Amino acid sequence: MRQIGVPHPRLPLPVAGGEDDMADFLAWLGEAIPMVPALGIRQMTRDGDCLAWSLSLTPSLNDKGTGFGGSLAAQTTLLGWCWTTLWLRRHGLARDVVVAEASQRFLAPVTGDYRLTCEPEAVDGPSALAERLELRGKGRIALVQRLWCGETLCLEARGDYAVLPAA
């Protein structure tokens, strides 16, 4: 049982230069952040610089029978945190990540199960983050999340994620 003010143990880093097992990471995330199992995440995949979740709408229904904006906003924020954390892990870094700024644009109602994607806002975002971490020991990256219900773009979000200095 998680306790207020007590950090959850970090997941061990993957073998040098290795990739995280997405199912293991998602299981750890569900232990570290108690609301995660209730989000309806069915699968997490990575393709290049794009991290994606497949989600069930049922846990995020609002009173109108469509996606609840607050739940969807929380999911976009968390997916960006996951993107940054997994990027750090692939680079052998166990660092704290926090969201510094986030915004959402709701474009269409979410009426069924959906896919949420996250990728850097700028093509050079990851290399710029790596450079800042090397030079200053901390950095930020801007990420864009998009929620797709079938072929319909329902939500576009943007977040700045800060990588804190090593303890």
Side-chain angles (χ1 to χ4, degrees), residues 30-115:
E31 295 169 6
I33 302 174
M35 70 181 254
V36 167
L39 294 178
I41 304 167
R42 296 188 310 217
Q43 183 181 26
M44 180 166 64
T45 58
R46 191 175 78 78
D47 183 13
D49 273 342
C50 183
L51 184 64
W53 284 347
S54 295
L55 297 107
S56 171
L57 176 59
T58 304
S60 297
L61 284 173
N62 64 17
D63 59 316
K64 296 160 208 58
T66 60
F68 173 60
S71 179
L72 303 176
Q75 291 169 8
T76 63
T77 301
L78 182 59
L79 184 57
W81 181 92
C82 289
W83 188 100
T84 309
T85 299
L86 288 166
W87 182 90
L88 289 165
R89 292 174 58 75
R90 282 194 313 277
H91 290 84
L93 300 169
R95 302 285 287 280
D96 286 330
V97 174
V98 295
V99 61
E101 186 177 334
S103 63
Q104 302 83 30
R105 285 183 40 227
F106 295 89
L107 306 169
V110 179
T111 58
D113 293 348
Y114 54 98
R115 181 173 36 97

